[in-house]
Amino acid sequence: MDSFNEWIELEKNDLDELVTAYSFSNDNNNSNNSDDERLKRLVEKGINHFEEYCKKRGEIIMDQNDIYDATSFMCPVWGNSFGNAFLWFGGCRPSLFIRLVYSVGGSEFDQHLSDQLHTRRGGDGIITRGNLADISGQQLHMVNALHCRTMKEEHKISSKMATLQEQIADKPLAVIAKNAEPVGEWSEEVERAMKAHSVSLGGILAEADRLRLSTFKELMAILTPPQAVDLLIATKKLHISMREWGKTRDRRLHLRTITTPTP
């Protein structure tokens, strides 16, 4: 849990830095080489932080003496009910990064059109350039190709998870459960069987993290520095917002539960 809280704080700090740099670049109207280099360094920093987080989480999962194993990350107690409901193997779907390119780019393109209309009518609207609305046809082709490859890999990982889930009905757990007296009695045999499933789950989780990281890196390489920073800002805002919204929702639901009179 400490690692996750540290990661959230890092996300917030990185977001502040990204927003400041991106705003400064837009204030210069057209980004120059020095602005692009600064944004590029921030993108590399964001990639490195994500890579370090995945590495640290992998080490925790592989540490057989740690209190957290792979199952802890599938529905983490440090999360919230809304956020946990949308987890894909302990994190976001890798294809979510790509979907954000489409949604944010489309939204920003609409805003550009609105700004242009405002300017033509004598307004003084400022049109920012270099963001995801300016993605080229060649870039979009590369993003689409990455999307297709990523979804295929997601399907492979999901299939492995389905197989692991089905194994619950096979030996040894199903047989142990049938013969246990009393029902649900704990034993060393149960512990060994559950440990084996957890280890298998850890392998799938590590594979999911590798796909998240590789998709993220490849996507960042396709985008220009301003576009990559634009996407990073959108990604981090969504991650942090989902966490805060989920926490608020859980508190409101808890309050509603304890204040509802018993019939």
Side-chain angles (χ1 to χ4, degrees):
M1 184 172 180
D2 289 340
S3 295
F4 182 77
N5 289 333
E6 289 172 7
W7 168 244
I8 289 295
E9 287 305 311
L10 191 61
E11 286 271 86
K12 292 178 179 179
N13 292 336
D14 284 354
L15 177 59
D16 290 341
E17 193 172 7
L18 286 164
V19 170
T20 299
Y22 188 68
S23 299
F24 179 80
S25 178
N26 282 336
D27 287 343
N28 288 342
N29 251 348
N30 293 309
S31 62
N32 52 43
N33 289 337
S34 62
D35 287 335
D36 279 358
E37 281 300 316
R38 184 185 183 193
L39 296 180
K40 185 178 179 180
R41 287 195 297 272
L42 288 177
V43 172
E44 292 172 349
K45 182 179 178 181
I47 292 173
N48 289 337
H49 284 168
F50 188 25
E51 192 165 17
E52 289 168 4
Y53 175 73
C54 290
K55 180 181 178 182
K56 189 168 185 179
R57 185 160 77 162
E59 291 172 350
I60 293 173
I61 293 172
M62 295 305 293
D63 184 0
Q64 302 300 313
N65 296 316
D66 202 287
I67 60 172
Y68 298 112
D69 63 3
T71 56
S72 302
F73 292 95
M74 298 300 288
C75 190
V77 294
W78 53 87
N80 55 74
S81 56
F82 186 77
N84 286 351
F86 291 94
L87 288 181
W88 185 81
F89 299 103
C92 70
R93 276 187 174 272
S95 54
L96 177 66
F97 300 130
I98 301 168
R99 291 292 295 269
L100 278 173
V101 172
Y102 301 145
S103 63
V104 174
S107 174
E108 290 175 343
F109 183 75
D110 289 343
Q111 184 61 49
H112 280 339
L113 292 179
S114 176
D115 289 344
Q116 287 172 350
L117 287 172
H118 180 67
T119 301
R120 288 172 185 171
R121 291 170 180 168
D124 56 354
I126 298 174
I127 304 176
T128 59
R129 308 300 297 172
N131 58 15
L132 290 170
D134 291 332
I135 194 166
S136 69
Q138 182 181 7
Q139 285 178 306
L140 192 58
H141 176 75
M142 296 170 70
V143 170
N144 288 339
L146 175 61
H147 196 187
C148 291
R149 293 197 306 273
T150 300
M151 288 193 296
K152 286 181 180 178
E153 294 302 315
E154 287 178 351
H155 179 70
K156 289 179 183 178
I157 294 173
S158 294
S159 295
K160 291 182 180 180
M161 184 62 183
T163 299
L164 184 61
Q165 289 172 332
E166 289 168 359
Q167 288 175 359
I168 296 295
D170 299 331
K171 292 181 180 180
L173 284 176
V175 176
I176 295 173
K178 185 175 184 301
N179 296 330
E181 289 294 344
V183 175
E185 182 181 28
W186 184 262
S187 68
E188 290 185 3
E189 189 179 14
V190 172
E191 184 171 5
R192 285 195 299 270
M194 293 185 71
K195 188 75 170 181
H197 274 76
S198 180
V199 170
S200 297
L201 182 59
I204 297 175
L205 182 56
E207 192 172 348
D209 274 348
R210 284 194 294 271
L211 182 58
R212 273 187 277 266
L213 185 59
S214 64
T215 301
F216 184 64
K217 284 182 174 180
E218 190 168 347
L219 187 56
M220 292 292 106
I222 293 172
L223 303 175
T224 65
Q227 290 169 345
V229 168
D230 192 20
L231 179 61
L232 275 173
I233 290 173
T235 302
K236 292 180 185 298
K237 281 187 173 182
L238 179 59
H239 182 205
I240 294 170
S241 295
M242 286 282 286
R243 175 171 169 77
E244 295 305 317
W245 291 336
K247 286 166 57 180
T248 300
R249 185 173 181 272
D250 279 356
R251 286 196 298 267
R252 290 170 64 87
L253 288 174
H254 176 66
L255 180 62
R256 188 182 306 166
T257 300
I258 61 178
T259 56
T260 300
T262 303

